[in-house]
């Protein structure tokens, strides 16, 4: 199992070669002692795809020697200044566990050594009155060199303040205040790799070299923009920029599609790591993407998007195996906890745990196998191709507000029809199915409205209305699934010679809850119709 660490740090720059007034950090509230830990020589090689996919996502993969934590380090951004670092021991090749976490981005493209960064790290520990570590402050003399293309290098000095494990992040604010007073400023680059890439990019280096020559000859700037809409590069005299082209319907739909594709790719490592709610969020992104393709069939040709939608349905189903069981188990456990002890007869909790474990056994292994499979990776590649070269129809170039509004109205109308049909059906299996179908269409209408929220409150209101209706119908469907599970549990209990009394009590409560929802649906539906 890989070692994972939450890294919370801040980076600074100074016009001086080191850290000004280092010993004055004892004046920071809570700091009793500053301990010199000496200088460590660190040597790290950073890996990425040739087109730098990891760097563009703020992800870093390095093999580092020297220091107390030599090995492979994979870092995922969490928020500004916060990253999750996953470590593996030193080896000659990228560890399989780390390669798997990068598969959704790397796919069939190999990882190559991209940049080598060597640092002389002068370390100080900030300790409290009990001698416990508060933070580590280091001054790094950095030498970075590009390992691909032209052999370009760069040097700089930076200051890092890394919070000790378990400490309050607010402590970094106190250190920050002290450093700023000493003339230190926050680094413009979020990481060493980002700065190294920026300062060793061949085209940037060439531009820096050629700029003085251009000025000496009185030459004009880059002519690369000639031919674009708006005329020559630089626009008219006075440096005015060319006007931005007006956005069309396709721009909004494709932006939403791309955002969901990015969410799927970005959540892949979290799902593999088993992080809370990651499977659910990835499944929602998959459904959003599929729903938008269906809702905006007038924008993109369904001949191309329908097969993609089928693959997204498959992926959502695979993600749902574990998630649906998790939700169902949580519901039944909560219902059991709510019962008085006198109504719990027999080993109900043990049977519930056994039943849930049997249904989830192997589901995680199955999901990881899906994410490692060619079908899933092929789907990601197809989504990339769809976004890069979308099969646009005539409506794609239309007025975005009109095109999107029409699509939303169409989806909302379908929801209205399905809810009305469900209300006309007597309570029972047929109504259950009708309400479930209405719930699915409410989701699709909600996702369609999300594409259009830039156009005002009416679309935001539709999102809220659809979410409210979806929640009501979803609670009803959860009750349907819970009753099916309780019948199964009762049959197992009877077969083992146990009492089925408690399962009957829970079944009755679920039946009552479903009846309450069905009774509330007409008024909720009427209010929703009025809000439209």
């Amino acid at each position: 199992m890989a070692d994972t660490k939450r890294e919370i740090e801040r980076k600074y720059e100074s016009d001086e070669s080191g850290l000004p007034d280092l010993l004055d950090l004892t004046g920071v509230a809570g700091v009793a002692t500053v301990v010199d830990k000496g200088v460590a020589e660190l040597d790290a090689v950073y890996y990425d795809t040739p087109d730098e996919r990891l760097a563009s996502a703020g992800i870093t993969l390095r093999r580092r020697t020297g220091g107390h934590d030599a090995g492979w380090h994979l870092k995922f951004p969490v928020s500004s200044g916060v990253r999750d670092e996953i470590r593996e021991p030193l080896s000659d090749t990228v560890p399989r566990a780390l390669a798997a976490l990068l598969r959704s981005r790397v796919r069939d493209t190999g990882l190559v050594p991209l940049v080598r960064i060597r640092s002389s790290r002068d370390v100080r520990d900030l300790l409290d009155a009990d001698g416990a570590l508060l933070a580590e402050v280091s001054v790094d003399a950095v030498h970075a060199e590009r390992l691909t293309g032209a052999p370009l290098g760069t040097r700089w000095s930076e200051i890092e303040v890394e919070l000790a494990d378990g400490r309050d992040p607010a402590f970094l604010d106190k250190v920050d205040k002290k450093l700023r007073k000493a003339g230190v400023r926050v680094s413009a680059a979020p990481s060493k790799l980002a700065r190294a890439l920026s300062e060793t990019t061949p085209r940037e280096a060439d531009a820096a070299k050629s700029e003085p020559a251009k000025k000496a000859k009185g030459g004009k700037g880059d002519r690369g923009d000639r031919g674009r809409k708006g005329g020559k590069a630089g626009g008219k005299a006075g440096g005015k920029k060319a006007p931005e082209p007006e956005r069309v319907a396709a721009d909004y739909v494709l932006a939403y599609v791309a955002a969901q594709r990015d969410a799927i790719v970005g959540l892949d490592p979290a799902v593999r790591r088993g992080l809370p709610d990651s499977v659910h969020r990835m499944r929602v992104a998959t459904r959003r993407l599929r729903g938008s393709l269906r809702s905006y069939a007038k924008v993109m040709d369904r001949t191309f998007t329908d097969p993609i939608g089928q693959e997204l349905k498959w992926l959502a189903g695979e993600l749902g195996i574990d998630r649906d069981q998790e939700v169902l188990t949580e519901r039944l456990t909560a219902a059991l906890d709510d019962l008085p002890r006198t109504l719990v007869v027999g080993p109900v909790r043990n049977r519930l745990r056994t039943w849930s474990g049997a249904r989830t056994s192997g589901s995680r292994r199955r999901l990881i196998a899906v994410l490692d499979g060619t079908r899933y990776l092929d789907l990601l590649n197809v989504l990339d191709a769809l976004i890069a070269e979308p099969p646009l129809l005539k409506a794609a170039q239309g007025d975005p507000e009109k095109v999107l509004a029409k699509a939303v109205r169409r989806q909302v109308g379908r929801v209205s029809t399905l809810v009305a049909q469900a209300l006309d059906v007597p309570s029972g299996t047929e109504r259950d199915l009708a309400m479930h179908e209405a719930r699915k269409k409410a989701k699709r209408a909600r996702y369609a409205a999300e594409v259009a929220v830039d156009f005002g409150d009416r679309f935001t209101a539709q999102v809220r209305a659809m979410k409210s209706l979806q929640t009501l119908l979803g609670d009803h469907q959860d009750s349907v699934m819970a009753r099916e599970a309780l019948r199964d549990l009762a049959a197992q209990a009877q077969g083992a010679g146990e009492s089925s009394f408690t399962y009957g009590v829970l079944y009755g409560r679920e039946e009552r809850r479903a009846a309450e929802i069905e009774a509330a649906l007409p008024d909720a539906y009427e209010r929703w119709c009025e809000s439209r």
Side-chain angles (χ1 to χ4, degrees), residues 336-346 348-349 501-502 509:
L336 187 58
D337 291 342
D338 194 44
L339 280 183
R341 288 186 179 183
T342 54
L343 297 182
V344 180
V345 180
V348 180
R349 294 185 188 280
F501 172 78
T502 301
R509 288 192 169 197

Side-chain angles (χ1 to χ4, degrees), residues 273-286:
R273 294 166 61 196
L275 297 186
D277 207 37
S278 57
V279 172
H280 172 62
R281 291 165 59 201
M282 188 174 181
R283 188 186 189 193
V284 169
T286 303

Side-chain angles (χ1 to χ4, degrees), residues 250 253-254 292-294 296-309 386 389-396:
V253 176
L254 289 172
S292 63
L293 295 180
R294 293 294 300 272
Y296 293 99
K298 300 293 185 181
V299 173
M300 287 192 285
D301 190 346
R302 286 186 61 175
T303 303
F304 296 91
T305 60
D306 276 0
I308 298 174
L386 176 72
E389 297 184 20
L392 300 179
L393 300 175
K394 183 178 180 180

Side-chain angles (χ1 to χ4, degrees), residues 4 29 77 88 92 105 143 193 250 360 402 430 449 457 478 498 524:
T4 302
E88 287 282 348
D92 293 334
R105 296 188 186 278
H143 176 211
L193 177 62
T360 58
K402 292 180 179 179
E430 190 175 349
D457 292 343
D478 288 345
E498 300 166 3

Side-chain angles (χ1 to χ4, degrees), residues 5 42 65 115 134 142 181-182 209 223 234 282 290 295 319 352 354 359 366 394 408 433 450 458 517:
K5 179 181 183 299
L42 309 177
T65 57
V115 169
L134 294 169
V142 184
K181 283 185 177 180
K209 291 178 181 178
R223 299 170 186 266
M282 188 174 181
R290 179 171 179 250
S295 296
L319 291 165
L352 178 57
T354 302
R359 290 169 66 99
R366 174 189 172 102
K394 183 178 180 180
V408 173
L433 292 173
E450 286 177 350
R458 59 185 176 128
I517 294 172

